[in-house]
Structures are given as structure tokens and as C-alpha cells.
Amino acid sequence: MVIGNSHLEEAVPLTTTAIPEHYRDAVVAHIMVDGATHAIDFYTRAFGADELFRLDGPDGRIVHAEISIQGSTIMLGDAEGPLLGAPTAVGGTTVALHVFVDDVDALTRRATAAGAELLRPPADQFHGDRTAMVKDPYGHVWVFLTHLEDLTPDEVARRARELLR
């Protein structure tokens, strides 16, 4: 963790919105799951996802699909062996999927009611966001965030230093 001045201070506009502008055009995750059809159903129930596109293979497996969670697009498909394995097949994940949402508390309640495992309950964080962390039945870790306040990088660093004392 780097704490201190950042070159982003001048580049990041300061406006308070649920989804900060600099995250709107973020990298699109493409996750692999065992049972993509069931995963899409789960994401619809748990996260309010909308299915945007689906390409089924001849064997009934999903070759490629896209869903949207409050405007954030996620690509997914059925796992394909060791190169693109599912977290359940490899014993964990090295990635957490961050999605900014309008109401992190409501989404967390919805997700856990649908069967997501609560890893961290919603809480306000030093960086100006309210966050929660859940694990879906397919082994993926999701961090949902609602932006609460605009902070300069120096203010985030000051708050982080206070926490680390």
C-alpha cells in the first residue's frame, strides 16, 4: 500500500456520485464458472443482474455471456479446463470483483438472502466508500461499494495513516 501524494490528485474530478466517473470505464471482468447457466440465474436473484447476451455451445454449455449489475458489465462462461478454470476447481480465487452500486446495504441483504456468503458486512471505509464483501456459490469474491464522499488522495492517505497507527 502506498500512502502519500499521488499523481491522481489533479486528474480525478471531485464530484459525489454513487459510481465515480473514473470507474465507469473500467476493465471488464470475464469470469469462468462451473455451471454458467445456474450462475446467471443466481446473479439475477442475488445481485439484480440483467442478462445482456448469451452464446450457447452445442453441448448446452455457455461459451460466452454478458450480464449487467447496475450498469457494470461482467462477462462469463463455463470453465474450460486448466487454462480458464473456475475458482471451485482451483481451490480459491486471486481476484475480487469490485462493483459500484447505488445501495450496498440493500444489495448485500439481497445477495445473502439468495445464498451468497457474507465475508464482510457493509461498513463505511476510510477511502470514502461504504463496502461489503460476499462470496458467490461459484467461488468468486465480490466487493460492492457505494461512494459516499469525495476525498483528495492526500485525505485518503491521512485517514489510512490514522488507521495504521
Side-chain angles (χ1 to χ4, degrees), residues 34-73:
D34 288 324
T37 297
H38 296 294
I40 291 171
D41 293 341
F42 173 79
Y43 298 143
T44 300
R45 285 189 327 276
F47 306 153
D50 294 314
E51 184 174 332
L52 304 175
F53 174 78
R54 181 188 298 208
L55 178 60
D56 292 314
D59 60 357
R61 294 166 42 88
I62 294 179
V63 175
H64 180 82
E66 296 180 11
I67 60 173
S68 174
I69 302 170
Q70 293 193 22
S72 293
T73 300

Side-chain angles (χ1 to χ4, degrees), residues 5 10 31 42 46 53 55 66 68-69 92-93 96 101 125 137 156:
N5 292 334
E10 294 176 7
I31 61 175
F42 173 79
F53 174 78
L55 178 60
E66 296 180 11
S68 174
I69 302 170
T93 184
V101 299
Q125 302 297 326
V156 173

Side-chain angles (χ1 to χ4, degrees), residues 77-91:
D78 278 296
E80 299 180 19
L83 181 60
L84 295 171
T88 52
V90 297

